[in-house]
Amino acid sequence: MSQTYDIVVIGAGPGGYEAAIKAAQLEKKVALIEKNAVGGTCLNRGCIPTKALMHSAHLLEEMKNCEELGIKAEQVSVDFGQLHERKSQVVGQLQDGICQLLKANKIDLFQGKAVITEPGQIKVTTEEENLEISADKILIATGSVPSRPPIPGLDLPGVVTSDEILEGAGKEFSHLIIIGGGVIGIELATVYEALGTKVTVIEAMKQILPNLDKEISRNMAMILKKKDVDVHTGAMVKQVAECDGGLAVTYEEKGKEVTVEGDGVLVSIGRRANIEGLFEGEPLVETERGAIVVDENFKTSVDGIYAIGDAVYRNIQLAHVASAQGISTVCHMFGVESELDLSLVPSCIYTSPEIAAVGMTADQAKEAGIAAKESKFLMSANGKSLISREERSFIKVLFEEESHRIIGANMMCARATDMISEFSLAIEKKMTLEDMASIIRPHPTYAEGITEAVEAGLGCSIHSAPARKPRK
């Protein structure tokens, strides 16, 4: 059996299924191939399951401290199985929604493994049959899988990645040791700590969340330590071994070898492109370090074959990046102009408080030779933050010194992940501090902090103490 399509998309994660829908909107004949469940890593083993668990964890923390709010609750307990059942319900509902969208857009969904045999030709193996599919264009959106560094002992029982810890009924631990203090590691550290698990984080870099603003990293480290999470930075894991208590992780810190014991180890040191077995024999396209090399239009070295998302070499591994790239690439394929700005990518971390950033950091501006200044507002003076008992929260704005044009923002506060888009718009539209300050934001809201942060750059923040004048 052979079928022909205008475009075949391989991978039904956020990048893949949104690209398929965009192509269908352009009245193209579309096929979408997925060997597992639709939604990809983000929906099934990443963003959505993590945030579902974090919502439960945050609610539990509120209940534990509710007496401060005038509420008394007794015998508050955790049903670990029910937590994961609820998570699975959310995932299932979103999966159903995607399938309905694909059907409504008349996209042919093939549940099976895809192999690109030659340009324009794909072999699909499903449970029922083997298919040969032809396509004018092929879009690779196969995502990524967790990386496992060459550390002895990572194949032992009890050593898991984020895939295993988030799928199905999850994994329950009394002491979880997390190797890696990046976004995934820190988000899961906050979940397990809230559920009563002892957590140890071991990060090789000098700070956790190493790609973020230094003040944000320091603040999050202090919040975690206050919650009795054991955080070690500048620490290199040497091995994992079995012991009477379960697993022993040996790491080197400040020139000394240290061993910590727990009953579970989470390996969270990044993800790698998932293209193994995608081609028949050697990859048809150019690759680098196991990922696909593309040009500025996400075209590979072979005409008619494109790649987006985590499968791409040196790409930003975020679901919304893959989605934007998928839509933009489909537009380029079929000669339609895309209005998406792929250079401006907000990053979000769903800890408590939330973290979000977009645009340049102060260090990046300095390296680029841009004369920039930073203004800051402490959210301890924000009424909504005080009501919800947010701690160590702030909003920082980076702007060009002369023009006052906003070029970056870092937020560590409640609803930061929702509010960061206001700064994305400001940077995209080249807005100034004055432009942002001219907007009336409702009271009481977290968004009032945005007004205060931009007004601080103008020296007129109402709810900040006047800046001290330097002594003459």
Side-chain angles (χ1 to χ4, degrees):
M1 180 181 178
S2 180
Q3 299 182 53
T4 301
Y5 293 88
D6 295 316
I7 177 175
V8 171
V9 181
I10 304 175
Y17 84 76
E18 292 193 30
I21 291 173
K22 185 63 179 179
Q25 291 173 345
L26 297 176
E27 299 184 345
K28 304 302 177 182
K29 186 179 180 182
V30 186
L32 179 62
I33 307 170
E34 173 56 59
K35 66 179 179 180
N36 297 311
V38 297
T41 294
C42 177
L43 176 53
N44 297 287
R45 302 171 298 279
C47 314
I48 298 301
T50 308
K51 279 57 183 180
L53 293 175
M54 293 187 85
H55 178 73
S56 297
H58 292 164
L59 181 58
L60 178 62
E61 283 194 309
E62 287 292 304
M63 294 176 71
K64 286 180 178 178
N65 298 286
C66 65
E67 283 197 23
E68 297 177 21
L69 306 177
I71 300 170
K72 293 186 178 181
E74 297 179 356
Q75 298 180 336
V76 176
S77 61
V78 175
D79 185 329
F80 194 80
Q82 183 62 35
L83 288 180
H84 281 270
E85 186 176 334
R86 167 60 180 159
K87 171 211 70 181
S88 298
Q89 289 172 355
V90 172
V91 170
Q93 186 173 342
L94 290 171
Q95 284 176 346
D96 291 343
I98 293 171
C99 290
Q100 290 299 319
L101 285 171
L102 297 176
K103 185 177 180 180
N105 282 280
K106 298 180 180 179
I107 295 167
D108 290 342
L109 174 63
F110 295 95
Q111 298 276 177
K113 179 175 173 54
V115 177
I116 302 173
T117 56
E118 58 181 282
Q121 298 295 317
I122 303 167
K123 180 171 65 179
V124 184
T125 303
T126 70
E127 290 183 358
E128 295 82 21
E129 57 185 337
N130 294 324
L131 307 171
E132 295 288 340
I133 295 179
S134 301
D136 293 334
K137 310 288 185 184
I138 296 173
L139 178 61
I140 299 168
T142 49
S144 60
V145 293
S147 297
R148 281 184 179 265
I151 298 172
L154 292 193
D155 56 347
L156 291 171
V159 179
V160 297
T161 66
S162 57
D163 281 3
E164 292 88 42
I165 215 169
L166 292 170
E167 282 186 315
K171 303 287 182 182
E172 196 167 2
F173 306 103
S174 58
H175 183 183
L176 177 63
I177 303 167
I178 300 177
I179 301 175
V183 175
I184 297 172
I186 296 305
E187 285 190 346
L188 288 172
T190 62
V191 169
Y192 274 88
E193 179 279 325
L195 298 179
T197 301
K198 168 64 179 173
V199 178
T200 299
V201 177
I202 304 172
E203 167 58 46
M205 303 294 284
K206 293 181 179 179
Q207 63 181 50
I208 59 171
L209 305 173
N211 296 322
L212 291 184
D213 177 84
K214 291 179 181 178
E215 185 176 5
I216 286 177
S217 298
R218 287 195 299 267
N219 262 14
M220 182 50 61
M222 293 179 71
I223 289 170
L224 290 173
K225 289 176 182 178
K226 185 178 177 180
K227 294 179 177 180
D228 293 326
V229 175
D230 200 8
V231 178
H232 299 271
T233 54
M236 187 67 66
V237 175
K238 297 295 184 181
Q239 70 169 19
V240 180
E242 292 181 311
C243 65
D244 291 340
L247 294 166
V249 178
T250 301
Y251 59 95
E252 184 177 318
E253 184 179 20
K254 296 179 181 179
K256 296 181 180 179
E257 280 202 354
V258 184
T259 298
V260 59
E261 295 183 2
D263 58 335
V265 174
L266 169 63
V267 183
S268 178
I269 51 85
R271 301 179 66 86
R272 57 180 176 82
N274 180 28
I275 62 170
E276 186 176 347
L278 179 60
F279 299 93
E280 196 169 57
E282 292 296 315
L284 294 174
V285 300
E286 181 185 353
T287 62
E288 183 73 31
R289 297 185 182 180
I292 298 172
V293 177
V294 298
D295 66 12
E296 67 277 7
N297 295 311
F298 298 93
K299 180 179 171 296
T300 70
S301 56
V302 175
D303 286 342
I305 302 180
Y306 295 74
I308 60 165
D310 291 8
V312 172
Y313 179 58
R314 286 185 174 173
N315 204 19
I316 300 172
Q317 294 183 331
L318 293 170
H320 48 280
V321 170
S323 297
Q325 289 175 351
I327 292 169
S328 180
T329 301
V330 166
C331 289
H332 172 76
M333 283 181 185
F334 299 110
V336 176
E337 186 176 351
S338 171
E339 297 181 355
L340 286 168
D341 182 356
L342 300 181
S343 67
L344 194 60
V345 178
S347 58
C348 299
I349 305 176
Y350 296 81
T351 48
S352 181
E354 292 184 346
I355 297 168
V358 70
M360 287 186 167
T361 64
D363 288 342
Q364 289 170 338
K366 185 177 181 180
E367 290 173 8
I370 298 173
K373 294 182 70 176
E374 208 167 39
S375 60
K376 177 180 176 181
F377 177 67
L378 298 177
M379 293 292 278
S380 55
N382 173 264
K384 194 71 178 291
S385 295
L386 191 62
I387 290 167
S388 58
R389 299 186 301 112
E390 297 293 326
E391 59 178 333
R392 304 189 68 83
S393 300
F394 60 86
I395 296 175
K396 291 202 296 188
V397 183
L398 185 69
F399 57 94
E400 290 181 346
E401 189 170 0
E402 185 174 342
S403 69
H404 289 179
R405 185 169 72 88
I406 295 169
I407 57 175
N410 283 278
M411 309 175 74
M412 188 174 189
C413 60
R415 300 293 186 268
T417 60
D418 296 310
M419 295 193 294
I420 194 64
S421 294
E422 191 169 340
F423 283 109
S424 296
L425 181 63
I427 296 169
E428 166 66 23
K429 299 303 180 184
K430 297 180 171 55
M431 294 173 68
T432 63
L433 294 176
E434 288 84 354
D435 293 330
M436 290 283 281
S438 70
I439 299 168
I440 298 175
R441 296 176 178 86
H443 172 78
T445 62
Y446 299 114
E448 288 178 285
I450 295 175
T451 299
E452 299 285 355
V454 295
E455 286 183 341
L458 298 170
C460 59
S461 171
I462 297 296
H463 295 93
S464 298
R468 292 183 179 179
K469 294 181 180 180
R471 292 181 180 178
K472 295 182 179 180

